[in-house]
Amino acid sequence: MKRRIQDPMANVDMPAGSTGQPAPDASPNTARANTARPNTAPPSTARPGRVRAVRPVGTRTVLAEVSGTQDVLALQAALLDAPLPGQQDVLAAAETVMVRAESPAAARRIGQALLELDLTAPAEQAGGLVVIDTVYDGEDLAEVGQLTGLGADGVIAAHTGQVWTIAFAGFAPGFGYMVGENQALEVPRRSSPRTAVPAGSVALAGNYSAVYPRQSPGGWQLIGRTGAKMWDLDRPEPALASPGHRVQFRAVRDVVQMVTEPSDEATKDSQQTDSQQALPATTSGLRVLSPGIHSLIQDLGRQGHSALGVSAAGALDRASLRRANRLVGNAPSAAAIETVSGGLRVQAVGDQVLAVAGAPSALTVSTPSASPDAPETGETQNGETQNRQRTVPVAAPFALLDGEILTIGVPDAGFRSYVAVRGGVDAPPVLGSRSTDTMSGIGPKPLAAGQLLPTGDAAESGVVGSPEIQPDYPSGGVTVLDIVPGPRADWFDQAALDSLCSQDWTVKPESNRVGMRLQGTPLQRSRTGELPSEGTVAGAIQMPPEGLPVLFLADHPITGGYPVIGVVVDHQLDLAAQVPIGGSIRFRIAPESAAPASSPEQTSPEQTPERKASN
């Protein structure tokens, strides 16, 4: 598939939008922020055809600022044609290009190299015209009419009366940022994003319009809805409209769902899914008796697809996934089950070797009696045990014989557990990964009762591993996470940065794999206006106008339009994933000498049972 420019302005739960350059660094915390920005070029040196400045985004990513769309396209083209040493991924946005590196040292080298590049604008490409039928009855239509002074009818006329061009893609697969022919519909994003925007919602933010390809969080103003399928992996080109395409919206009275004929392979997969409970008894794997609260198939994610609007996803606690796979003799990236807060029950179909890592929980193995209604306690009949139970340890391999049932209890600490089976879970890969991306809907569906998970061939060793010692997990105290300020710490004064790091933030129930929503004393921005959307990373602390942080996790949108005040260091993301709902987090500025451990598992989490002042 041809790689395309992606993304300007999306947002975790809040896509973005707006034009105009950010104001120069002038806030009271500029000096402090710049101490962590060795690659930042002074604004006075900027000129067209060059990178204006480079800002660190956490420890392994840098953000290059340029003078406009042409320089964005030129820089992206240059990095794709001749990747810099250590470069892993490139993501273009409205006025920035984000580069992901393989290590902190590589990120520093890339930052310096970006400042020395000469940019030559690539030739522009024009796409075809896509007509999208739209019912204009959105929740925010009246408010948009007031904000623009056009009234509801005027908004509809302005939206349908011009041709929109997709400049970038991002936020989620199929989400294209469309630029109109005028600025008549320029409106701000909502001050508080919705936790769920329906699929097909037609929206506005800044000078952009877009269509939400699936239900997801979002902060744009909703003016209508469409049945057009913006993203479909069964099509040769999954995106209905890609960067360069022109779009014409057409007002209609009713939505007509646009569908595509599924491919033969998709039909086969669907038939397999529908008949999961009827698979032959000889099939080897794990049958799900109860999925618990939320259980998913995860591996180490699908890297390098941000240009398609696809985030990496994958296990939130990568170290625990690797540990569980290592214990059963699998490759580190083998697919396993990620489950939260206990409750998962699986039954062996054929003899299996399992290991559970992550949140320490009671693991019970039982042999059910012939009667499915019999209690799973040790009953005896004629001197024989009809229902046997035993316990097995966490972070150790064990056999689950044919018919035996594993039950995972509520964790004593932490939040997420990982169940690996020798051979790995054999789910169909999508874009090179078996992981479930809850933001985009890519990958296997959440586990359901009765589902059979077949085992694959991911075992790479003839033996299983020895029991391992796990790190400490959050258990009622305050979990301290180190952060690198920026890339947009200059949107906040010193008092706001101090407030971020001096208070305990509570993880709200609305949190999920996309991001952790935090409750505390709101922070105030020192700037007004809108930030053109730019690339984001897992660990980014995004600040909506309401002042309550959102800590992005693995399923985050690839771009965001709210300023990121800081980024959790990469090697502590596993620890962040183990903080439960209702748990407490405190942020701390990472020492300049801090560097990620060579392996996430070598990092000991720091927790404070009592509250202490942070620096």
Side-chain angles (χ1 to χ4, degrees):
M1 181 177 294
K2 187 175 181 179
R3 298 189 71 172
R4 301 177 183 272
I5 309 292
Q6 289 317 110
D7 132 56
M9 323 67 290
N11 204 329
V12 63
D13 312 345
M14 27 216 166
S18 175
T19 58
Q21 299 286 351
D25 294 347
S27 61
N29 68 327
T30 298
R32 180 172 182 176
N34 282 342
T35 62
R37 297 174 185 167
N39 296 325
T40 301
S44 60
T45 65
R47 66 181 188 272
R50 304 282 293 196
V51 172
R52 297 190 301 122
V54 175
R55 298 172 180 257
V57 184
T59 53
R60 293 178 50 197
T61 305
V62 293
L63 189 71
E65 297 179 340
V66 294
S67 297
T69 302
Q70 288 303 313
D71 283 352
V72 166
L73 301 179
L75 178 56
Q76 180 185 239
L79 294 174
L80 294 180
D81 291 342
L84 297 172
Q87 173 183 314
Q88 286 189 328
D89 203 3
V90 176
L91 178 61
E95 299 168 359
T96 60
V97 176
M98 191 175 74
V99 185
R100 176 78 169 174
E102 64 184 11
S103 68
R108 291 190 291 270
R109 291 193 298 267
I110 288 172
Q112 186 59 47
L114 290 172
L115 293 171
E116 300 169 359
L117 288 178
D118 286 320
L119 306 179
T120 302
E124 296 186 10
Q125 296 182 351
L129 179 66
V130 177
V131 178
I132 297 179
D133 290 341
T134 303
V135 176
Y136 287 92
D137 59 358
E139 295 180 40
D140 303 319
L141 180 60
E143 183 177 351
V144 171
Q146 293 177 351
L147 290 171
T148 60
L150 298 175
D153 290 340
V155 169
I156 297 171
H159 198 249
T160 59
Q162 58 183 308
V163 174
W164 300 79
T165 301
I166 297 184
F168 301 94
F171 177 58
F175 191 101
Y177 294 88
M178 307 179 195
V179 180
E181 298 170 332
N182 56 62
Q183 285 73 50
L185 294 177
E186 181 175 357
V187 292
R189 294 185 300 277
R190 292 170 53 86
S191 60
S192 178
R194 293 181 171 92
T195 58
V197 174
S201 294
V202 178
L204 297 169
N207 285 323
Y208 293 84
S209 185
V211 179
Y212 282 78
R214 70 186 301 268
Q215 179 175 302
S216 60
W220 289 37
Q221 307 281 2
L222 308 184
I223 62 172
R225 55 193 169 90
T226 179
K229 201 166 185 179
M230 304 304 296
W231 175 263
D232 187 353
L233 285 169
D234 291 330
R235 292 191 296 237
E237 288 288 339
L240 180 64
S242 302
H245 278 99
R246 294 170 297 129
V247 174
Q248 178 79 61
F249 290 93
R250 181 169 59 193
V252 296
R253 292 173 181 249
D254 298 304
V255 166
V256 177
Q257 186 70 39
M258 294 177 61
V259 297
T260 56
E261 290 297 326
S263 64
D264 292 341
E265 191 65 29
T267 302
K268 178 180 176 182
D269 291 342
S270 175
Q271 291 171 347
Q272 290 176 341
T273 300
D274 293 340
S275 62
Q276 284 170 344
Q277 299 185 27
L279 287 174
T282 55
T283 299
S284 177
L286 298 175
R287 189 176 299 281
V288 179
L289 301 184
S290 172
I293 297 176
H294 192 56
S295 298
L296 305 167
I297 296 173
Q298 297 292 345
D299 54 20
L300 290 180
R302 47 183 65 84
Q303 308 293 333
H305 294 290
S306 60
L308 293 176
V310 177
S311 65
L316 295 189
D317 184 348
R318 299 159 296 181
S320 291
L321 174 74
R322 292 188 182 102
R323 182 179 297 112
N325 275 322
R326 185 166 56 245
L327 288 167
V328 298
N330 286 345
S333 60
I337 301 172
E338 177 184 271
T339 186
V340 300
S341 201
L344 175 68
R345 295 176 68 239
V346 294
Q347 184 176 34
V349 179
D351 294 346
Q352 308 296 336
V353 176
L354 274 66
V356 180
S361 309
L363 306 180
T364 304
V365 174
S366 60
T367 304
S369 63
S371 172
D373 297 326
E376 292 182 8
T377 56
E379 296 183 357
T380 60
Q381 180 176 340
N382 298 325
E384 294 184 0
T385 300
Q386 298 298 310
N387 201 335
R388 302 180 183 89
Q389 281 191 349
R390 72 180 192 275
T391 59
V392 293
V394 175
F398 61 92
L400 193 70
L401 303 180
D402 185 32
E404 290 187 326
I405 296 171
L406 169 67
T407 301
I408 299 180
V410 176
D412 299 323
F415 193 49
R416 290 180 168 87
S417 300
Y418 292 83
V419 183
V421 58
R422 183 168 175 80
V425 176
D426 188 16
V430 179
L431 298 178
S433 170
R434 293 178 169 87
S435 63
T436 299
D437 184 343
T438 60
M439 178 71 181
S440 68
I442 292 176
K445 294 181 180 180
L447 301 192
Q451 181 177 0
L452 179 64
L453 305 178
T455 53
D457 56 0
E460 65 176 11
S461 171
V463 297
V464 296
S466 300
E468 298 189 13
I469 298 176
Q470 295 202 124
D472 295 330
Y473 289 99
S475 58
V478 179
T479 301
V480 178
L481 299 176
D482 288 340
I483 66 171
V484 176
R488 299 300 172 186
D490 52 337
W491 279 62
F492 304 86
D493 59 20
Q494 187 64 50
L497 189 59
D498 289 343
S499 180
L500 174 73
C501 296
S502 63
Q503 63 175 296
D504 299 337
W505 299 94
T506 302
V507 180
K508 299 170 65 175
E510 297 85 353
S511 301
N512 52 34
R513 283 180 50 89
V514 174
M516 299 170 69
R517 292 174 175 267
L518 305 179
Q519 183 66 50
T521 302
L523 307 185
Q524 299 295 323
R525 296 182 186 178
S526 59
R527 292 187 182 182
T528 59
E530 301 275 345
L531 174 71
S533 287
E534 55 196 23
T536 63
V537 297
I541 305 169
Q542 195 176 62
M543 298 297 302
E546 63 184 358
L548 295 177
V550 177
L551 173 58
F552 280 179
L553 298 179
D555 292 359
H556 68 90
I558 63 167
T559 58
Y562 297 143
V564 171
I565 192 172
V567 180
V568 174
V569 296
D570 186 76
H571 63 288
Q572 287 189 349
L573 291 179
D574 295 337
L575 173 60
Q578 291 292 354
V579 179
I581 300 298
S584 295
I585 289 174
R586 188 185 307 140
F587 298 112
R588 179 180 65 183
I589 303 297
E592 290 185 7
S593 59
S598 58
S599 169
E601 295 132 288
Q602 296 176 358
T603 303
S604 298
E606 177 178 351
Q607 290 183 252
T608 57
E610 298 178 357
R611 300 185 180 189
K612 301 178 183 178
S614 299
N615 33 354

